Amino acid sequence: MQSEKKFITDGIKQNCRCDGRGILSSRRIKIEKGVCTLSPGSAQLNIELSSPHIICGCKLEIGVPEVEDEGIVNLSIELAGKSLMTDKERMAEVKSLIEMLMLNYFNKKQLCIIPGRKCWKLFIDVEILDKDASNLIEHISLTITSALEDVKVLATEGIVNKNTKEEYIEILDGTVRINIDELPIITTVAQINTSSVLDLTAEEEGCADSLLHFSIDKNGTIKGIIKENPGRLAVDQVLSAANIAKEVAAHIFSDLGTGSIKYKLS
Protein backbone atom coordinates (compact mmCIF):
# COMPACT_ATOMS: atom_id res chain seq x y z
CA MET A 1 0.00 0.00 0.00
CA GLN A 2 2.81 2.41 0.90
CA SER A 3 4.67 1.59 -2.31
CA GLU A 4 1.52 2.27 -4.36
CA LYS A 5 0.99 5.56 -2.55
CA LYS A 6 4.62 6.57 -3.15
CA PHE A 7 4.27 5.67 -6.84
CA ILE A 8 1.21 7.93 -7.15
CA THR A 9 2.67 10.86 -5.20
CA ASP A 10 5.99 10.70 -7.09
CA GLY A 11 4.05 10.81 -10.35
CA ILE A 12 2.04 13.81 -9.14
CA LYS A 13 5.29 15.70 -8.45
CA GLN A 14 6.22 15.17 -12.11
CA ASN A 15 2.76 16.18 -13.40
CA CYS A 16 2.12 12.59 -14.49
CA ARG A 17 -0.74 10.34 -13.40
CA CYS A 18 -1.45 6.64 -13.83
CA ASP A 19 -4.10 7.29 -16.52
CA GLY A 20 -1.88 9.66 -18.49
CA ARG A 21 -3.51 12.92 -17.39
CA GLY A 22 -1.77 15.98 -16.04
CA ILE A 23 -2.56 17.09 -12.51
CA LEU A 24 -4.95 19.84 -13.69
CA SER A 25 -6.88 17.68 -16.19
CA SER A 26 -10.18 15.83 -15.80
CA ARG A 27 -11.52 12.58 -17.16
CA ARG A 28 -14.17 12.96 -19.86
CA ILE A 29 -17.62 12.97 -18.30
CA LYS A 30 -20.83 12.15 -20.18
CA ILE A 31 -24.16 13.27 -18.72
CA GLU A 32 -27.41 11.98 -20.21
CA LYS A 33 -30.76 13.49 -19.25
CA GLY A 34 -34.17 11.83 -19.18
CA VAL A 35 -32.87 8.35 -18.35
CA CYS A 36 -35.81 7.53 -16.02
CA THR A 37 -39.03 7.54 -18.02
CA LEU A 38 -41.22 7.53 -14.88
CA SER A 39 -39.46 10.54 -13.36
CA PRO A 40 -40.27 14.17 -14.25
CA GLY A 41 -36.52 14.83 -14.32
CA SER A 42 -33.44 12.61 -14.28
CA ALA A 43 -29.80 12.36 -15.34
CA GLN A 44 -26.99 9.83 -15.37
CA LEU A 45 -23.27 10.61 -15.19
CA ASN A 46 -20.79 8.27 -16.82
CA ILE A 47 -17.03 8.50 -16.98
CA GLU A 48 -15.57 7.61 -20.37
CA LEU A 49 -14.20 4.04 -20.57
CA SER A 50 -15.75 3.25 -17.20
CA SER A 51 -18.97 1.80 -15.80
CA PRO A 52 -21.93 4.13 -15.08
CA HIS A 53 -21.14 6.21 -12.02
CA ILE A 54 -24.11 8.18 -10.72
CA ILE A 55 -27.83 8.41 -11.47
CA CYS A 56 -30.24 11.04 -10.13
CA GLY A 57 -34.03 11.05 -10.32
CA CYS A 58 -36.39 13.82 -9.20
CA LYS A 59 -40.01 13.46 -8.19
CA LEU A 60 -42.65 15.91 -7.05
CA GLU A 61 -45.69 15.77 -4.81
CA ILE A 62 -47.95 18.37 -3.25
CA GLY A 63 -47.50 18.99 0.47
CA VAL A 64 -47.78 21.55 3.24
CA PRO A 65 -44.95 24.11 3.38
CA GLU A 66 -42.57 24.35 6.31
CA VAL A 67 -41.87 28.00 5.45
CA GLU A 68 -44.91 30.04 4.40
CA ASP A 69 -43.85 31.09 0.90
CA GLU A 70 -41.43 28.28 0.06
CA GLY A 71 -41.55 24.70 -1.14
CA ILE A 72 -39.60 21.76 0.27
CA VAL A 73 -36.46 20.08 -1.14
CA ASN A 74 -35.47 16.65 0.13
CA LEU A 75 -32.15 15.03 -0.85
CA SER A 76 -31.22 11.37 -0.47
CA ILE A 77 -27.93 9.75 -1.50
CA GLU A 78 -27.37 5.99 -1.48
CA LEU A 79 -24.70 3.57 -2.57
CA ALA A 80 -25.99 0.78 -4.79
CA GLY A 81 -25.82 -2.76 -3.47
CA LYS A 82 -24.80 -3.83 0.00
CA SER A 83 -23.05 -1.13 1.99
CA LEU A 84 -21.10 -1.15 5.24
CA MET A 85 -21.77 1.20 8.14
CA THR A 86 -18.73 3.25 7.11
CA ASP A 87 -20.26 3.64 3.63
CA LYS A 88 -23.54 4.86 5.12
CA GLU A 89 -21.70 7.33 7.32
CA ARG A 90 -19.80 8.63 4.30
CA MET A 91 -23.03 9.01 2.32
CA ALA A 92 -24.46 11.07 5.21
CA GLU A 93 -21.37 13.30 5.09
CA VAL A 94 -21.68 13.70 1.31
CA LYS A 95 -25.39 14.56 1.64
CA SER A 96 -24.60 17.24 4.21
CA LEU A 97 -21.89 18.75 2.00
CA ILE A 98 -24.18 18.87 -1.06
CA GLU A 99 -26.95 20.52 0.98
CA MET A 100 -24.64 23.16 2.48
CA LEU A 101 -22.69 24.01 -0.66
CA MET A 102 -25.42 23.62 -3.28
CA LEU A 103 -29.04 23.07 -2.32
CA ASN A 104 -29.09 25.82 0.31
CA TYR A 105 -28.93 28.20 -2.66
CA PHE A 106 -31.86 26.61 -4.50
CA ASN A 107 -34.79 29.05 -4.93
CA LYS A 108 -37.56 27.28 -3.00
CA LYS A 109 -40.03 30.13 -3.52
CA GLN A 110 -40.73 28.85 -7.05
CA LEU A 111 -42.20 25.69 -5.47
CA CYS A 112 -44.86 27.61 -3.55
CA ILE A 113 -48.47 27.09 -4.74
CA ILE A 114 -50.59 28.66 -1.97
CA PRO A 115 -48.49 30.50 0.65
CA GLY A 116 -48.72 28.78 4.01
CA ARG A 117 -51.01 26.05 2.66
CA LYS A 118 -49.76 24.13 -0.36
CA CYS A 119 -46.43 23.71 -2.08
CA TRP A 120 -44.44 21.32 -4.21
CA LYS A 121 -42.17 18.89 -2.38
CA LEU A 122 -39.17 18.14 -4.57
CA PHE A 123 -37.39 14.85 -3.88
CA ILE A 124 -33.88 14.49 -5.31
CA ASP A 125 -32.75 10.86 -5.15
CA VAL A 126 -29.12 10.10 -5.99
CA GLU A 127 -27.73 6.60 -6.36
CA ILE A 128 -24.02 5.90 -6.72
CA LEU A 129 -23.74 2.92 -9.04
CA ASP A 130 -19.98 2.33 -8.88
CA LYS A 131 -18.59 1.46 -5.44
CA ASP A 132 -15.20 2.79 -6.58
CA ALA A 133 -16.62 6.12 -7.80
CA SER A 134 -14.37 9.05 -6.98
CA ASN A 135 -14.59 12.86 -6.95
CA LEU A 136 -18.10 12.29 -5.65
CA ILE A 137 -18.96 15.78 -4.40
CA GLU A 138 -18.22 17.41 -7.76
CA HIS A 139 -19.81 14.67 -9.85
CA ILE A 140 -22.99 14.47 -7.72
CA SER A 141 -23.45 18.23 -8.01
CA LEU A 142 -23.23 18.00 -11.82
CA THR A 143 -25.69 15.08 -11.95
CA ILE A 144 -28.18 16.94 -9.73
CA THR A 145 -27.85 20.08 -11.85
CA SER A 146 -28.58 18.15 -15.04
CA ALA A 147 -31.52 16.32 -13.46
CA LEU A 148 -33.03 19.61 -12.25
CA GLU A 149 -32.62 21.07 -15.73
CA ASP A 150 -34.67 18.11 -17.00
CA VAL A 151 -37.51 18.51 -14.46
CA LYS A 152 -40.91 19.42 -15.86
CA VAL A 153 -43.46 20.63 -13.28
CA LEU A 154 -47.21 20.69 -13.91
CA ALA A 155 -48.41 24.27 -14.32
CA THR A 156 -50.74 25.01 -11.40
CA GLU A 157 -52.69 27.87 -9.86
CA GLY A 158 -53.58 27.98 -6.18
CA ILE A 159 -57.02 29.34 -5.28
CA VAL A 160 -58.48 30.11 -1.83
CA ASN A 161 -62.23 30.70 -1.52
CA LYS A 162 -62.65 34.05 0.27
CA ASN A 163 -65.89 32.97 1.94
CA THR A 164 -65.27 29.35 2.95
CA LYS A 165 -61.44 29.60 3.08
CA GLU A 166 -61.32 26.32 1.17
CA GLU A 167 -58.28 25.84 -1.04
CA TYR A 168 -58.15 24.49 -4.56
CA ILE A 169 -55.34 23.71 -6.94
CA GLU A 170 -56.17 24.15 -10.60
CA ILE A 171 -54.07 22.20 -13.09
CA LEU A 172 -53.27 24.41 -16.08
CA ASP A 173 -52.14 23.42 -19.54
CA GLY A 174 -48.51 22.58 -20.07
CA THR A 175 -45.51 22.33 -17.77
CA VAL A 176 -42.92 24.73 -16.40
CA ARG A 177 -39.19 24.32 -15.89
CA ILE A 178 -37.40 24.78 -12.59
CA ASN A 179 -35.22 27.88 -12.53
CA ILE A 180 -31.68 26.96 -11.47
CA ASP A 181 -29.90 30.04 -12.85
CA GLU A 182 -28.62 30.95 -9.37
CA LEU A 183 -27.78 27.40 -8.34
CA PRO A 184 -24.03 26.85 -7.88
CA ILE A 185 -22.06 23.75 -8.77
CA ILE A 186 -19.28 22.27 -6.65
CA THR A 187 -15.70 21.88 -7.82
CA THR A 188 -13.05 20.04 -5.82
CA VAL A 189 -9.35 20.87 -5.66
CA ALA A 190 -7.14 18.34 -3.88
CA GLN A 191 -3.76 18.97 -2.33
CA ILE A 192 -1.21 16.15 -2.63
CA ASN A 193 2.08 17.25 -1.07
CA THR A 194 2.59 20.70 -2.62
CA SER A 195 0.55 20.05 -5.80
CA SER A 196 -3.04 21.02 -6.58
CA VAL A 197 -4.76 18.12 -8.36
CA LEU A 198 -8.15 17.89 -10.08
CA ASP A 199 -10.65 15.05 -10.56
CA LEU A 200 -8.97 12.42 -8.40
CA THR A 201 -9.33 8.69 -8.95
CA ALA A 202 -10.18 6.46 -5.99
CA GLU A 203 -6.51 5.53 -5.58
CA GLU A 204 -5.42 9.18 -5.65
CA GLU A 205 -8.00 10.13 -3.03
CA GLY A 206 -6.16 7.86 -0.61
CA CYS A 207 -3.08 10.05 -1.10
CA ALA A 208 -4.80 13.45 -0.72
CA ASP A 209 -3.62 15.59 2.19
CA SER A 210 -6.69 17.82 1.86
CA LEU A 211 -9.75 18.34 -0.32
CA LEU A 212 -11.23 21.78 -0.86
CA HIS A 213 -14.83 21.84 -2.12
CA PHE A 214 -15.84 25.18 -3.68
CA SER A 215 -19.43 26.25 -4.33
CA ILE A 216 -19.36 28.50 -7.41
CA ASP A 217 -22.20 30.06 -9.42
CA LYS A 218 -22.41 30.99 -13.10
CA ASN A 219 -20.96 34.43 -12.40
CA GLY A 220 -17.83 32.91 -10.90
CA THR A 221 -18.79 33.93 -7.37
CA ILE A 222 -17.61 31.58 -4.63
CA LYS A 223 -20.61 30.94 -2.37
CA GLY A 224 -18.87 28.66 0.12
CA ILE A 225 -15.85 26.45 0.85
CA ILE A 226 -15.57 23.25 2.87
CA LYS A 227 -12.31 21.43 3.59
CA GLU A 228 -11.95 17.69 4.13
CA ASN A 229 -8.94 15.68 5.34
CA PRO A 230 -6.53 16.88 8.04
CA GLY A 231 -3.74 18.32 5.87
CA ARG A 232 -2.79 21.91 6.63
CA LEU A 233 -3.00 24.62 3.99
CA ALA A 234 -1.29 27.99 3.82
CA VAL A 235 -3.33 31.04 2.81
CA ASP A 236 -1.62 31.26 -0.57
CA GLN A 237 -2.48 27.59 -1.27
CA VAL A 238 -6.16 28.27 -0.53
CA LEU A 239 -6.15 31.36 -2.78
CA SER A 240 -4.45 29.40 -5.57
CA ALA A 241 -6.99 26.56 -5.20
CA ALA A 242 -9.84 29.11 -5.34
CA ASN A 243 -8.57 30.50 -8.64
CA ILE A 244 -8.24 26.97 -10.04
CA ALA A 245 -11.77 26.09 -8.88
CA LYS A 246 -13.23 29.20 -10.54
CA GLU A 247 -11.52 28.34 -13.82
CA VAL A 248 -12.83 24.77 -13.62
CA ALA A 249 -16.37 26.01 -12.89
CA ALA A 250 -16.26 28.29 -15.95
CA HIS A 251 -15.30 25.30 -18.15
CA ILE A 252 -18.06 23.15 -16.62
CA PHE A 253 -20.81 25.76 -17.02
CA SER A 254 -19.72 26.27 -20.63
CA ASP A 255 -19.88 22.54 -21.45
CA LEU A 256 -22.71 21.33 -19.19
CA GLY A 257 -25.41 21.85 -21.81
CA THR A 258 -23.53 19.70 -24.34
CA GLY A 259 -23.60 16.61 -22.11
CA SER A 260 -19.84 16.14 -22.43
CA ILE A 261 -17.35 17.71 -20.02
CA LYS A 262 -13.56 17.60 -20.04
CA TYR A 263 -11.34 20.36 -18.72
CA LYS A 264 -7.60 20.88 -18.86
CA LEU A 265 -5.97 23.87 -17.22
CA SER A 266 -2.56 25.18 -18.16
Side-chain angles (χ1 to χ4, degrees):
M1 185 67 182
Q2 287 300 319
S3 60
E4 181 184 359
K5 186 174 180 179
K6 186 178 186 304
F7 178 78
I8 292 172
T9 55
D10 285 349
I12 294 293
K13 289 179 184 178
Q14 301 174 56
N15 192 27
C16 181
R17 301 162 80 172
C18 296
D19 55 9
R21 290 182 290 144
I23 59 176
L24 296 181
S25 299
S26 75
R27 295 163 288 183
R28 183 170 296 280
I29 298 166
K30 299 283 189 179
I31 303 178
E32 183 182 357
K33 299 179 187 176
V35 293
C36 301
T37 56
L38 299 179
S39 171
S42 60
Q44 179 172 302
L45 182 145
N46 303 318
I47 293 177
E48 193 173 52
L49 303 178
S50 179
S51 58
H53 260 48
I54 300 165
I55 190 166
C56 175
C58 300
K59 58 184 179 182
L60 292 145
E61 64 180 47
I62 293 175
V64 178
E66 297 170 353
V67 178
E68 184 174 5
D69 60 345
E70 294 183 354
I72 298 170
V73 177
N74 191 309
L75 172 67
S76 71
I77 299 177
E78 294 183 354
L79 184 63
K82 294 182 179 180
S83 54
L84 303 174
M85 183 57 67
T86 52
D87 295 326
K88 294 178 180 178
E89 291 171 354
R90 178 55 182 162
M91 291 304 101
E93 292 172 357
V94 170
K95 177 178 180 290
S96 178
L97 284 169
I98 296 292
E99 288 173 336
M100 287 189 288
L101 289 175
M102 184 181 184
L103 294 182
N104 280 352
Y105 300 97
F106 180 84
N107 179 13
K108 297 179 184 176
K109 292 184 183 296
Q110 63 185 309
L111 300 178
C112 179
I113 300 174
I114 303 175
R117 297 186 180 221
K118 295 295 180 184
C119 71
W120 286 110
K121 294 175 68 175
L122 173 63
F123 295 89
I124 303 172
D125 300 322
V126 176
E127 186 158 7
I128 300 164
L129 305 173
D130 186 346
K131 63 181 180 64
D132 294 322
S134 59
N135 198 18
L136 275 180
I137 306 298
E138 181 175 313
H139 288 170
I140 288 174
S141 83
L142 302 184
T143 312
I144 290 174
T145 300
S146 296
L148 290 174
E149 285 181 340
D150 189 51
V151 170
K152 296 171 282 293
V153 185
L154 285 174
T156 57
E157 181 181 1
I159 302 168
V160 178
N161 189 301
K162 293 182 179 180
N163 298 320
T164 64
K165 304 301 180 184
E166 289 183 308
E167 57 205 34
Y168 305 92
I169 297 175
E170 183 178 352
I171 305 297
L172 307 177
D173 293 333
T175 58
V176 294
R177 295 282 186 176
I178 288 180
N179 185 344
I180 58 169
D181 288 343
E182 298 178 5
L183 190 69
I185 60 170
I186 303 170
T187 62
T188 299
V189 181
Q191 200 72 24
I192 298 178
N193 292 330
T194 58
S195 302
S196 294
V197 189
L198 298 174
D199 190 19
L200 299 189
T201 63
E203 293 78 16
E204 290 170 341
E205 285 184 338
C207 304
D209 299 304
S210 63
L211 297 168
L212 281 175
H213 306 295
F214 293 88
S215 170
I216 303 176
D217 66 15
K218 287 183 177 178
N219 298 319
T221 303
I222 295 177
K223 314 290 282 187
I225 309 172
I226 292 178
K227 175 181 173 292
E228 288 192 289
N229 291 10
R232 295 183 179 181
L233 292 171
V235 173
D236 61 329
Q237 288 177 302
V238 176
L239 294 176
S240 174
N243 289 329
I244 290 170
K246 289 170 72 173
E247 192 172 347
V248 168
H251 280 282
I252 291 174
F253 277 120
S254 174
D255 294 343
L256 194 57
T258 69
S260 178
I261 300 169
K262 182 176 171 58
Y263 49 82
K264 181 180 180 181
L265 309 189
S266 56

